[in-house]
Amino acid sequence: MSSDCIFCKIVSGAIPSKKIYEDDDVIVFNDINPSAKVHFLIVPKLHVESLLNCDSQHQALLGRMLLLAPKIAKEQGLAGFKTLINTGREGGQEVFHLHVHVLGGGEKTPKT
Ligand code: 5GP
Ligand code: ZN
């Protein structure tokens, strides 16, 4: 838990979110500023800044996050979707708590 991290605050419930899935390790909620009809974020409960801060100890967690994408996308009615992980400021990352974007529901989802 990082006290000034917005996603840690969502994990703890201090900031509300439109949660669509939760287990012991991961929370999934709708993006507050969606770029597609369906746009949710898969977020580990553990505070890890980005993929640049991951190593082999995060392997299982990363695998679980990716496997949740098709499961929840199907539950949200998507037949296909785009996944996106922005990494580092130069990679377009704005919230420095690892997350996977899942976007879909339009004829074509945006590239970024
Ligand atoms: P990044 O650029 O870091 O990959 O994306 C961060 C995403 O988090 C953005 O799409 C932004 O809309 C979303 N976001 C930022 N703050 C909040 C928040 O307080 N609640 C929710 N649900 N999404 C947020
Ligand atoms: Zn955090």
Side-chain angles (χ1 to χ4, degrees):
M1 165 97 187
S2 170
S3 56
D4 57 356
C5 170
I6 203 155
F7 285 180
C8 281
K9 287 181 182 160
I10 288 177
V11 167
S12 74
I15 290 179
S17 68
K18 294 218 164 126
K19 185 166 70 183
I20 51 183
Y21 174 86
E22 183 173 14
D23 63 29
D24 285 348
D25 303 310
V26 179
I27 187 170
V28 179
F29 51 86
N30 286 320
D31 196 293
I32 204 166
N33 184 22
S35 302
K37 216 175 273 177
V38 176
H39 183 179
F40 59 86
L41 304 173
I42 302 175
V43 179
K45 290 188 171 177
L46 181 76
H47 179 83
V48 186
E49 275 195 17
S50 81
L51 269 187
L52 283 166
N53 303 88
C54 288
D55 57 30
S56 57
Q57 68 176 315
H58 303 103
Q59 193 166 314
L61 181 63
L62 289 167
R64 295 202 36 213
M65 288 167 67
L66 267 192
L67 287 174
L68 274 174
K71 178 180 183 290
I72 297 171
K74 277 185 215 155
E75 288 170 5
Q76 297 288 308
L78 299 178
F81 57 90
K82 190 181 298 295
T83 47
L84 175 71
I85 305 175
N86 293 322
T87 302
R89 213 169 290 282
E90 289 182 30
Q93 187 173 4
E94 289 175 357
V95 175
F96 286 84
H97 179 132
L98 178 67
H99 52 280
V100 178
H101 294 256
V102 178
L103 305 115
E107 284 202 352
K108 212 166 169 237
T109 47
K111 282 277 178 226
T112 56

